[in-house]
Amino acid sequence: MEITNDIKYVGVNDHKIDLFESQYVVPRGMALNSYVILDDKILVMDSVGGDFDQEWIDNILKATDGREPDYFMVQHMEPDHSKNITTFMDRFQKAVIISSARAFTFMKQFYHNDYPDRRIVIKEGDTLPLGRHTLHFIQAQMVHWPEVIMTYDDCDKVLFAADGFGKFGANDTPDEEWESEAARYYFGIVGKYGRNVQNVLKKAAGLDIKVICSLHGPVLKEDLGHYIDLYDKWSSYTPEKEGVVINYTSVYGNTRKAVEILAARLKELGCKEVIVNDLARTDIAKCVADAFRYSKMVIATTTYMNDIFPYMRDFLFHLAERGYTNRTVGVIENGTWAPAAAKTMTSILGCCKCINYTDTTVTIRSALDDDTAADLEELAKELTE
Ligand code: FEO
């Protein structure tokens, strides 16, 4: 696939994978992207993971028409990209490997070789001329690991963004919406490092970018402002959309009934978007992404073993570790003899800053009654004020 006259796609689509990073469901597979820049010198940008060594090497040879690459750029050492570094270096004996100092440390740890006689160590601000193209290296620490370097090609105005602007899903699955799978990917994998993403966006703002080449997902060529704006919102913890997401668990259906009543009332009161997720039956990465994408959230669960229902505990842990902040939150608890779920939930989120809790907390004693119905009405009003 041609990206520009000089830049070719040589990545692969992984449809054998079940769980990305052994935790994220990827029903449409995963794209492991790699690129070749053809100039006086030939550079290959990143390896691919999985068992795609031969397919990847074949793609490179086809793109270069059999010419041997001069350079091999490693932007990110996570094994979904780095696994075939050794394959490349063994196959193309004249190639020089380029990466950050930290990446070479990780390379030695993972693959027991850091190529001391065949390498160039680069850092922020360094450049590499290939002929018409000059590459500019941008430190992108913690987007998503500490060694990450992004690369800007000043000839074709391409930003090679490492994991940035990536998404779940293979590139040969047609008509898949970018936003939801990119959000699930971002908040699952990179979301903890919003400040670092903001730092990179500030650097990128000074560049004339016409194409974004991520290591996952499609090459972005159109409407780049839309994608950059989303990344700016996501990484600054600004709600992307006005709306209420209700993340709940229910053991026997009584908490679910409360959630259904609340969702219906929110819609009647004019809330345009109400998203309801049963945490026991919905992909956790989708629930986490929804919590960050929307302006308001309701959490509803039961007291369970003197704690809270495990799916809710796990979900709240994901929010807390990713720095959930700057949201309005309403709480519904259910308990038959000693309801304490509200206290436990807010305590887990205690480390999250700028959470505006609603005045109304709904306590259900086993099943709905007139008091809980009135409290749900109050909560709905507060959330739509
Ligand atoms: Fe796609 Fe952080 O690896």
Side-chain angles (χ1 to χ4, degrees):
M1 180 175 72
E2 188 168 287
I3 294 161
T4 69
N5 278 342
D6 296 334
I7 301 177
K8 318 289 176 196
Y9 180 85
V10 292
V12 299
N13 290 304
D14 186 351
H15 287 288
K16 292 184 253 179
I17 191 167
D18 59 345
L19 295 174
F20 184 72
E21 286 190 357
S22 289
Q23 60 172 322
Y24 298 101
V25 293
V26 281
R28 293 176 185 236
M30 197 69 198
L32 304 172
N33 295 341
S34 172
Y35 307 92
V36 171
I37 304 174
L38 299 168
D39 203 335
D40 297 339
K41 300 285 187 185
I42 292 179
L43 180 138
V44 174
M45 185 73 71
D46 286 295
S47 139
V48 300
D51 298 322
F52 296 97
D53 47 341
Q54 196 53 54
E55 182 179 341
W56 176 57
I57 295 291
D58 288 347
N59 288 348
I60 292 169
L61 289 170
K62 195 171 167 197
T64 61
D65 204 14
R67 278 174 68 195
E68 295 263 319
D70 301 279
Y71 297 120
F72 178 34
M73 176 72 203
V74 174
Q75 297 188 113
H76 183 17
M77 273 303 298
E78 194 167 9
D80 54 324
H81 310 291
S82 69
K83 190 184 166 199
N84 281 302
I85 285 176
T86 309
T87 305
F88 183 98
M89 295 301 280
D90 289 348
R91 173 62 182 79
F92 300 112
Q93 294 278 333
K94 286 190 285 184
V96 171
I97 188 168
I98 302 168
S99 201
S100 64
R102 200 82 188 268
F104 283 111
T105 302
F106 295 171
M107 211 176 289
K108 183 120 188 181
Q109 290 170 198
F110 273 113
Y111 308 114
H112 313 299
N113 195 345
D114 59 358
Y115 302 97
D117 303 323
R118 294 175 63 191
R119 75 181 190 188
I120 298 173
V121 182
I122 46 100
K123 61 183 184 315
E124 167 90 11
D126 285 352
T127 58
L128 179 75
L130 302 177
R132 296 177 298 284
H133 301 252
T134 296
L135 302 184
H136 300 250
F137 300 114
I138 302 159
Q139 185 179 334
Q141 193 173 19
M142 299 318 295
V143 188
H144 132 242
W145 278 15
E147 85 293 2
V148 171
I149 292 279
M150 294 185 186
T151 308
Y152 177 66
D153 168 20
D154 66 6
C155 178
D156 288 345
K157 317 293 185 201
V158 177
L159 178 68
F160 295 93
D163 275 342
F165 299 94
K167 68 180 271 297
F168 294 126
N171 287 337
D172 56 358
T173 50
D175 301 328
E176 186 177 69
E177 188 218 13
W178 187 87
E179 286 75 7
S180 57
E181 283 300 84
R184 209 165 62 87
Y185 175 90
Y186 174 83
F187 288 110
I189 292 171
V190 189
K192 181 177 175 65
Y193 308 110
R195 188 181 299 174
N196 302 79
V197 176
Q198 282 282 302
N199 287 341
V200 170
L201 288 176
K202 283 192 185 88
K203 295 181 200 177
L207 303 172
D208 178 13
I209 300 170
K210 299 222 170 346
V211 182
I212 296 175
C213 289
S214 173
L215 289 178
H216 300 291
V219 171
L220 304 175
K221 288 183 168 181
E222 312 283 337
D223 200 11
L224 295 190
H226 169 67
Y227 302 108
I228 291 168
D229 181 55
L230 278 180
Y231 252 60
D232 187 32
K233 284 200 173 88
W234 294 347
S235 59
S236 61
Y237 305 94
T238 304
E240 175 194 334
K241 309 180 197 192
E242 285 300 318
V244 181
V245 54
I246 308 174
N247 287 310
Y248 78 98
T249 66
S250 184
V251 186
Y252 291 110
N254 290 302
T255 310
R256 177 182 302 121
K257 243 182 226 168
V259 163
E260 286 167 356
I261 289 168
L262 178 66
R265 279 303 283 148
L266 288 169
K267 285 177 194 162
E268 285 167 5
L269 291 169
C271 186
K272 285 194 184 106
E273 289 211 58
V274 181
I275 310 295
V276 178
N277 294 322
D278 177 349
L279 293 171
R281 295 174 176 83
T282 311
D283 167 51
I284 186 87
K286 188 241 185 233
C287 301
V288 169
D290 283 345
F292 280 96
R293 293 179 84 185
Y294 287 89
S295 55
K296 295 172 184 173
M297 178 175 72
V298 173
I299 42 181
T301 198
T302 46
T303 304
Y304 185 83
M305 294 202 185
N306 206 26
D307 200 292
I308 53 173
F309 208 59
Y311 289 103
M312 178 60 80
R313 172 166 279 284
D314 189 37
F315 168 70
L316 295 177
F317 174 75
H318 282 292
L319 293 194
E321 71 173 355
R322 285 165 177 76
Y324 185 71
T325 183
N326 193 30
R327 298 292 186 280
T328 297
V329 174
V331 176
I332 300 173
E333 64 175 352
N334 195 345
T336 295
W337 61 91
K343 192 174 165 198
T344 307
M345 286 191 282
T346 53
S347 153
I348 295 170
L349 292 181
C351 60
C352 300
K353 293 176 186 156
C354 301
I355 302 298
N356 174 34
Y357 288 101
T358 55
D359 292 337
T360 308
T361 291
V362 180
T363 297
I364 306 164
R365 286 276 186 171
S366 308
L368 296 186
D369 59 15
D370 289 347
D371 287 343
T372 47
D375 287 345
L376 285 169
E377 181 64 21
E378 277 307 303
L379 181 57
K381 283 181 182 161
E382 272 196 66
L383 291 167
T384 49
E385 267 168 5

